[in-house]
């Protein structure tokens, strides 16, 4: 499971690694079943604010981001001390038109470090047809580039933030994954995803790992969860893990942290942070 020296070099060169199997198809189906049990009770596909910082309200997600096989993949890249800064759930329903424009995760996260990566876990298969991610290998070497806010209610991204120049789609790779596999991508990597044109839903979850040395630059107080090793810096306040799905304590804590996330993502816009993030028609938050 541990990455080979060649794979680590490939990550440094290209900014991505895939596919890596971290669990069985059945385990992935069990995580999906947990999500779908909630969706059944709540009357539809997960959306709005519950799609981000989701590990604060779903115990299954808190468990997933601590999964030993995932941490084993991340440690050789970021080191033994690891925190999760945020998590996201990305459901694409057949024909719902939702997509993600070309962007870098770093554009609106406010973190002062690029020792940050995403592990994207496929809970269903992710294919070209159902809207898997596309990535531009090596694009993370550009550092942070300019993004323009665009308006499209089908774009998952908070601000529709889009890189308008320098994307050569012919150079991109389609990150097809089987359920239970993951991809890893660097916080500065250019990536996107197209709508689901299949007859089945596509669901993946993203876990954003940082090192405790990172700092939030857009607000004074930010939160993260230590999942490996030690935090010798204290730059992030500790999060509270949920004891049950959507318990009232978890909901209250999520609201507090979600408000801060809104302030980070929507810096320098005239949008009201939490209103924008809660509107299920807009995207709630982003990668
Ligand atoms: O799930 C997707 O289609 C894209 C997710 C993404 O952009 C990310 O995890 O950074």
């Amino acid at each position: 499971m541990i990455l080979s020296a060649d794979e680590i070099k490939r990550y440094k060169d290209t900014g991505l690694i895939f596919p890596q199997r971290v669990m069985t198809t059945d385990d992935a189906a069990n995580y999906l079943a947990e999500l779908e049990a909630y969706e059944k009770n709540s009357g539809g596909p997960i959306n709005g604010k519950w799609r981000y910082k989701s590990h604060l309200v779903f115990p299954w997600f808190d468990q997933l981001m601590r999964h030993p096989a995932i941490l084993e993949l991340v440690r050789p890249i970021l080191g033994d001390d690891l925190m999760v800064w945020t998590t996201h759930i990305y459901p694409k329903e057949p024909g719902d038109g939702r997509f993600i424009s070309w962007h870098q995760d770093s554009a609106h996260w406010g973190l002062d470090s690029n020792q940050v990566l995403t592990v994207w876990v496929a809970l269903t298969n992710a294919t070209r047809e159902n809207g898997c991610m596309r990535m531009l290998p090596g694009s993370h070497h550009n550092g942070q580039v300019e993004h323009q806010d665009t308006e499209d209610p089908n774009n998952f991204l908070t601000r529709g933030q889009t890189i308008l120049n320098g994307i050569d789609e012919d150079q991109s790779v389609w990150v097809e994954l089987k359920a239970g596999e993951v991809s890893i991508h660097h916080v500065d990597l250019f990536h996107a995803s197209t709508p689901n044109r299949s007859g089945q839903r596509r669901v993946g979850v993203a876990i954003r790992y940082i090192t405790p040395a990172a700092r939030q630059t857009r607000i004074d107080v930010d939160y993260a969860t230590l999942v490996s090793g030690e935090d010798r810096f204290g730059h992030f306040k500790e999060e509270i893990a949920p004891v049950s799905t959507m318990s009232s304590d978890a909901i209250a804590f999520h609201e507090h942290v979600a408000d801060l996330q809104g302030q980070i993502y929507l810096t320098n816009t005239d949008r009201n942070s939490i209103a924008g993030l809660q509107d299920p028609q807009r995207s709630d938050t982003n990668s």
Side-chain angles (χ1 to χ4, degrees), residues 52-246:
Y52 64 96
K53 283 273 187 185
S54 316
H55 63 283
L56 297 180
V57 287
F58 292 118
W60 62 266
F61 207 159
D62 177 75
Q63 187 198 355
L64 177 61
M65 72 191 198
R66 303 167 195 269
H67 195 296
I70 296 180
L71 296 179
E72 263 186 47
L73 287 177
V74 179
R75 284 192 193 103
I77 301 175
L78 294 186
D80 289 345
D81 299 335
L82 294 172
M83 300 181 98
V84 170
W85 179 64
T86 192
T87 52
H88 291 95
I89 303 176
Y90 291 106
K92 284 186 182 168
E93 310 305 326
D96 72 0
R98 299 196 84 180
F99 71 100
I100 292 203
S101 52
W102 283 100
H103 70 288
Q104 295 174 299
D105 294 334
S106 52
H108 294 298
W109 286 4
L111 298 169
D112 71 351
S113 167
N114 67 1
Q115 293 301 296
V116 178
L117 61 76
T118 290
V119 174
W120 195 96
V121 187
L123 298 187
T124 62
N125 291 345
T127 63
R128 279 171 81 137
E129 197 194 0
N130 73 13
C132 69
M133 284 190 285
R134 300 175 75 172
M135 299 188 183
L136 213 47
S139 53
H140 63 307
H141 294 303
N142 290 295
Q144 264 186 43
V145 304
E146 195 187 343
H147 289 62
Q148 197 156 309
D149 292 355
T150 62
E151 290 297 326
D152 186 328
N154 280 338
N155 192 342
F156 270 110
L157 300 183
T158 315
R159 303 165 63 145
Q161 63 268 29
T162 303
I163 303 170
L164 295 177
N165 300 314
I167 304 291
D168 179 357
E169 290 200 347
D170 291 344
Q171 302 298 316
S172 70
V173 294
W174 295 87
V175 183
E176 292 199 302
L177 297 172
K178 300 237 165 29
E181 292 179 343
V182 304
S183 59
I184 299 179
H185 68 265
H186 187 281
V187 70
D188 286 332
L189 194 77
F190 299 5
H191 61 292
S193 70
T194 46
N196 182 352
R197 297 194 174 87
S198 78
Q200 274 96 41
R201 74 186 315 213
R202 187 225 72 171
V203 182
V205 299
I207 309 170
R208 322 297 188 173
Y209 292 96
I210 62 175
T211 70
R215 283 179 190 272
Q216 176 53 249
T217 61
R218 292 189 169 186
I219 55 172
D220 294 337
V221 176
D222 197 3
Y223 285 82
T225 293
L226 185 71
V227 289
S228 172
E230 270 183 80
D231 174 7
R232 298 187 191 82
F233 296 87
H235 294 163
F236 294 87
K237 284 183 86 168
E238 231 176 275
E239 293 179 330
I240 304 167
V243 284
S244 60
T245 298
M246 297 282 173

